[in-house]
Amino acid sequence: MSSTSHDFKELCFWCRLGDLENVDRLISKGVNVNSIDEFNNSPLFLASLCGHEELVKLLLQRGAVCDRDRHEGARCIYGALNDSIRNILLKYDISKAVDLKQPFASHLSSQLSDTSLKSHDIILRFANKKEIRLHRFLLATRSNYFAQQLHGPWSGYTVAEMPQDAPPVAIDIISGYVYLVPLLHNLNKQESDWLLQFCEELGFSSLADFVKRSRLLADQAQITKLMTEYQHTFTEEARGQMGALVEDIFKQRLKVKLIDEFPTSRVDIPREGSVIPDVYVLVKNSDEAKSGLLYPCHRSILARSDYFHVMFSSSFGEASSYQLTTEGVVDRTSPFPVVSFPNCEPSVAELILCYLYFDKTDVPWELAIAVLKAADSLMIDRLKTMAAVSITQSSEFLSVYSVFDILHTAWEFRLERLEHHAAKIIADQIGYYTSQPQLKEVILESCDRLQAREETDTIELVDDIRYYLMKKYNVDADDLDDLKWSENLKGGFEESEELRLYQHDYIMLDDILQELGLEA
């Protein structure tokens, strides 16, 4: 289906340029990677045609389909710029397109079977004694039926007896759908009839549509293609539902007083509310940490952060939520665990929670540096990258921060994208920046960043600035190889105006290096 949305047009633009971070950001917003533009070009076709190998891999990992038996797939393969990309596409099995999804969906899928966090808190038990361990909050979030049961008959209990006639394979499909696991099961008529009935009761209309259409197909390859089409719908439904859950989390946050950065009173398990949390996240206010906000959250989602994953899978007290009695009843006499975010404003903490719960990757430029700091502390590298993208795309950022702020941020948080962005800004306005004393300071800092500098070493910042000077004037290495420069590079150029301007800017930078006593 052709797409003319602004976000899809932007996705196609970045696919032409090969910008991984911006493509990842837009896919995370829910843009369909298998749409086509008004010229019948898919994002995968554009990336293949323009020779962006890493981007082709990313698109395939995010669900782009390359089926050589279909027109779009054949165009990608035969239109690929080089053999390397062509081989990647030829080797790619279409079934992988439903196994590698958006990062948030992939994490959600992993939580179905990941027992390291011990966060499963509801068991579905069958007549044959089979049991499936799930998360109460996720069932309630994805289905009104489960929400009513968990707040009613199943409230406070961890075991739910399933109907006697429930086929286990159908329940496996229901569980997989809730957790966004690809649904590639072969069902007999009795099993699919039961599944359709249960889908109707649970409100899973899109899953029911898939089952109805798939059982009309006999060829497994066709079923797989159908699943690929529906997986995007399933993922976007889940994102919307998780977004609504986060809104409830924000509504149910609590204001607390703190002593020594801890709540002054015991924090108990919430008895009411739609969130069904198993941990509180404490965000300290900036009033000398005398007060803070508690957000009711879920360890299985916070574990998208490597920092929290290590904490929750360890022997620390935060690794346990509430205790259960031998009868499977929640013991409400147990204290509720509380974990802390790094010191940040609530707006920053809430943006991070939006990322963890439903992969929101749009970071306002005003919050970008604060998000970088918090994401670095929480070991969320992808969110750091998204914050860096926000900085590089903002025309207003430099009205508040300097290019040297960008450079120091890049070094502090190890973000190569920001280093290159700062170097490009300096190259574009080299006349202005060579008059600024801070440029000399950052060149020396870049020099000091080398572990063991020798005379033959180069200075990374200087190399980057020189590279962007070449891009600025459309000069390439072959042009420079053909030139006969004087010893100090101040001989004249007769070849072109671009080369003359390039030499002028190059010499301004070189003069600073000589003034600093550097040969780079």
Side-chain angles (χ1 to χ4, degrees), residues 31-58:
V31 180
N32 191 347
V33 294
N34 290 309
S35 289
I36 55 175
D37 63 15
E38 62 269 34
F39 306 107
N40 292 324
N41 297 326
S42 68
L44 183 61
F45 172 76
L46 295 171
S48 303
L49 181 70
C50 296
H52 303 306
E53 184 171 328
E54 293 304 313
L55 181 55
V56 167
K57 293 177 182 177
L58 175 71

Side-chain angles (χ1 to χ4, degrees), residues 218-281:
D219 183 61
Q220 185 59 45
Q222 291 181 312
I223 295 175
T224 302
K225 292 176 185 178
L226 184 67
M227 182 64 250
T228 302
E229 297 174 11
Y230 271 87
Q231 194 65 40
H232 180 263
T233 301
F234 296 161
T235 300
E236 289 311 298
E237 284 179 350
R239 277 165 52 85
Q241 291 163 339
M242 295 294 275
L245 171 64
V246 170
E247 291 181 7
D248 287 339
I249 288 174
F250 294 165
K251 291 176 183 177
Q252 295 180 31
R253 68 184 189 179
L254 304 173
K255 294 182 179 179
V256 293
K257 294 182 179 179
L258 305 175
I259 294 179
D260 295 331
E261 300 189 359
F262 290 97
T264 56
S265 59
R266 163 187 160 129
V267 181
D268 292 321
I269 299 172
R271 294 177 179 271
E272 298 180 357
S274 58
V275 174
I276 317 181
D278 61 9
V279 67
Y280 271 121
V281 168

Side-chain angles (χ1 to χ4, degrees), residues 165-385:
D165 60 342
V169 65
I171 297 299
D172 286 340
I173 291 178
I174 293 290
S175 303
Y177 171 81
V178 168
Y179 285 79
L180 297 179
V181 176
L183 312 175
L184 299 175
H185 296 268
N186 292 315
L187 302 177
N188 59 39
K189 186 177 185 306
Q190 180 182 0
E191 291 168 338
S192 61
D193 285 345
W194 191 94
L195 180 58
L196 285 172
Q197 180 182 347
F198 206 28
C199 283
E200 182 177 350
E201 189 172 0
L202 297 176
F204 293 160
S205 58
S206 57
L207 177 58
D209 289 341
F210 166 71
V211 174
K212 291 176 183 176
R213 291 183 60 184
S214 65
R215 67 178 184 174
L216 297 176
L217 302 174
D219 183 61
Q220 185 59 45
Q222 291 181 312
I223 295 175
T224 302
K225 292 176 185 178
L226 184 67
M227 182 64 250
T228 302
E229 297 174 11
Y230 271 87
Q231 194 65 40
H232 180 263
T233 301
F234 296 161
T235 300
E236 289 311 298
E237 284 179 350
R239 277 165 52 85
Q241 291 163 339
M242 295 294 275
L245 171 64
V246 170
E247 291 181 7
D248 287 339
I249 288 174
F250 294 165
K251 291 176 183 177
Q252 295 180 31
R253 68 184 189 179
L254 304 173
K255 294 182 179 179
V256 293
K257 294 182 179 179
L258 305 175
I259 294 179
D260 295 331
E261 300 189 359
F262 290 97
T264 56
S265 59
R266 163 187 160 129
V267 181
D268 292 321
I269 299 172
R271 294 177 179 271
E272 298 180 357
S274 58
V275 174
I276 317 181
D278 61 9
V279 67
Y280 271 121
V281 168
L282 174 63
V283 177
K284 306 178 188 72
N285 289 337
S286 56
D287 56 352
E288 298 181 356
K290 294 181 180 179
S291 64
L293 296 170
L294 286 176
Y295 293 84
C297 292
H298 310 91
R299 288 174 298 143
S300 60
I301 299 299
L302 296 182
R304 278 191 73 188
S305 153
D306 288 342
Y307 172 84
F308 283 126
H309 191 279
V310 171
M311 177 187 293
F312 295 146
S313 55
S314 70
S315 58
F316 293 123
E318 293 86 352
S320 300
S321 57
Y322 42 72
Q323 300 295 318
L324 303 175
T325 68
T326 55
E327 292 78 21
V329 181
V330 176
D331 178 7
R332 297 193 181 276
T333 63
S334 303
F336 207 60
V338 177
V339 297
S340 294
F341 263 20
N343 288 336
C344 61
E345 294 298 320
S347 56
V348 173
E350 292 180 2
L351 192 149
I352 292 174
L353 288 174
C354 287
Y355 170 80
L356 294 174
Y357 273 85
F358 62 96
D359 220 35
K360 181 178 180 180
T361 54
D362 286 340
V363 180
W365 69 266
E366 302 94 327
L367 300 179
I369 289 183
V371 169
L372 271 176
K373 292 180 179 179
D376 187 66
S377 297
L378 294 172
M379 302 168 66
I380 311 174
D381 287 341
R382 183 163 168 267
L383 185 56
K384 287 170 54 180
T385 300

Side-chain angles (χ1 to χ4, degrees), residues 3-58:
S3 176
T4 58
S5 72
H6 173 76
D7 284 342
F8 183 77
K9 288 181 178 179
E10 187 182 353
L11 175 65
C12 291
F13 173 77
W14 292 122
C15 284
R16 291 186 183 94
L17 295 185
D19 192 311
L20 277 80
E21 288 83 3
N22 273 306
V23 169
D24 187 12
R25 173 179 62 84
L26 288 163
I27 294 174
S28 297
K29 290 178 66 175
V31 180
N32 191 347
V33 294
N34 290 309
S35 289
I36 55 175
D37 63 15
E38 62 269 34
F39 306 107
N40 292 324
N41 297 326
S42 68
L44 183 61
F45 172 76
L46 295 171
S48 303
L49 181 70
C50 296
H52 303 306
E53 184 171 328
E54 293 304 313
L55 181 55
V56 167
K57 293 177 182 177
L58 175 71

